Amino acid sequence: MATPASAVALGLLAVVAFSFSFPMTRVADQTLNPLVVGFGRGALGGVVAVAILIVGRATRPTRVELPSLLFVAGGVVIGFPVLTSLALQTVDAAHGSVINGILPLATGLVAVLLTKERRPREFWIAGVVGSLAVVAFAFRHGAGGLQGADLLLLAAVVLGALGYAHGGRLARHRPSWQVICWGLALALPVTVVGFGSAATAHGFAPSPASLGALLYLALISQVIGFFAWYHALAVGGIARIGQLQLIQSPLSLVWASLLLGEVLEPGAVLTMAVVLVAVVAGQRASQRASPRPASIDVRVVAPSLR
């Protein structure tokens, strides 16, 4: 049986897998239109997900589960991938990774609102400090204002947080692989049409590197990584495990430097240091408060246990 300690290990494993997503998106965007990449990873991942659901004889979602699965589909299958792919066409992976540094804080906020779990005041103070540091970085690099890419990234963070929190809650009573696979399956009509339309309009002639990056995004970032991530969120707690993503942005900065030759600017490193301190402070404040895990609505759980 999974334990909170093993949930942390699975969460870290998922974070490492996700940390390659922004650099891989930049590689894929080099010879492919960003809409082809954004919808393509969901379409390819969706085909794999349907096959997994059939082989695994997964039970169909109940009516009560469908709203959460739609948040998964709209948040982490369509919204986050498409918006980040569009944004990373004009900003580098390091810049995107810094903006993405507020995702753990956003996930914690959504988890609190979704599960009605109380958090201490210090948690919110730390979240505001970290978010202000990220916004200040974005303004500095946007010549005194937010770039269009920054707005896309911030919107992606909101959608990603919604998809994480809803998927993590649903994975408490449905296997995590079914949660992400059903999300991918529900999004398949949109991702297939989006991919087909974008490929028709902009072409599909990827370089070997871009094709490899797209396959990584479709299979690892979109499918396998979520097997571990949603299970970790369900067992270890959405807010607690979600905070592990603070490691993702620094890792992405390193991969962007090593794989893409992007320069690690002092401002980016400093911003990530502030975010790191803020999230750790928020996590410690939450641990001192020792909040009880949120209960699950029996109306959600009972139908899935049949």
Side-chain angles (χ1 to χ4, degrees):
M1 179 179 293
T3 64
S6 66
V8 171
L10 280 175
L12 289 172
L13 182 63
V15 166
V16 172
F18 292 156
S19 69
F20 284 94
S21 296
F22 274 20
M24 288 299 176
T25 299
R26 283 282 291 176
V27 172
D29 280 351
Q30 290 176 358
T31 58
L32 291 173
N33 180 270
L35 291 176
V36 172
V37 176
F39 285 114
R41 59 183 281 185
L44 293 174
V47 172
V48 173
V50 169
I52 293 174
L53 289 171
I54 293 173
V55 173
R57 297 182 179 181
T59 57
R60 292 183 180 181
T62 65
R63 289 183 179 180
V64 182
E65 291 174 322
L66 278 176
S68 287
L69 284 173
L70 289 175
F71 273 106
V72 172
V76 302
V77 179
I78 299 173
F80 188 89
V82 172
L83 293 177
T84 54
S85 185
L86 287 169
L88 291 174
Q89 190 180 32
T90 55
V91 298
D92 58 31
H95 182 103
S97 297
V98 172
I99 304 301
N100 196 54
I102 64 175
L103 181 55
L105 301 172
T107 300
L109 174 61
V110 174
V112 168
L113 296 175
L114 189 63
T115 63
K116 308 242 183 324
E117 180 182 304
R118 294 184 178 181
R119 293 284 170 174
R121 181 177 58 183
E122 291 81 3
F123 176 86
W124 301 113
I125 294 174
V128 170
V129 171
S131 298
L132 287 176
V134 171
V135 172
F137 171 83
F139 266 86
R140 176 175 173 272
H141 281 256
L146 287 173
Q147 305 177 59
D150 293 325
L151 297 178
L152 290 174
L153 289 167
L154 290 173
V157 164
V158 173
L159 291 174
L162 288 168
Y164 282 169
H166 278 275
R169 186 178 68 162
L170 196 57
R172 291 174 180 171
H173 55 89
R174 176 179 283 274
S176 59
W177 63 272
Q178 291 189 23
V179 174
I180 185 58
C181 284
W182 277 119
L184 282 160
L186 289 174
L188 198 55
V190 175
T191 54
V192 167
V193 171
F195 173 69
S197 300
T200 299
H202 303 285
F204 185 78
S207 65
S210 291
L211 181 59
L214 180 59
L215 290 175
Y216 182 93
L217 292 169
L219 300 178
I220 306 300
S221 298
Q222 198 67 75
V223 181
I224 297 175
F226 274 101
F227 289 0
W229 184 241
Y230 276 154
H231 184 73
L233 290 175
V235 176
I238 297 171
R240 177 190 177 191
I241 299 300
Q243 298 288 14
L244 294 176
Q245 272 208 307
L246 65 93
I247 304 170
Q248 181 173 329
S249 292
L251 284 176
S252 293
L253 292 177
V254 173
W255 306 146
S257 177
L258 295 176
L259 300 177
L260 303 175
E262 295 181 3
V263 178
L264 285 177
E265 298 182 3
V269 176
L270 177 60
T271 301
M272 287 315 309
V274 173
V275 170
L276 179 64
V277 171
V279 177
V280 169
Q283 179 71 355
R284 288 182 175 178
S286 297
Q287 289 176 344
R288 286 196 299 270
S290 300
R292 294 175 59 187
S295 60
I296 304 173
D297 192 336
V298 68
R299 293 172 299 175
V300 176
V301 178
S304 66
L305 297 178
R306 293 181 295 183

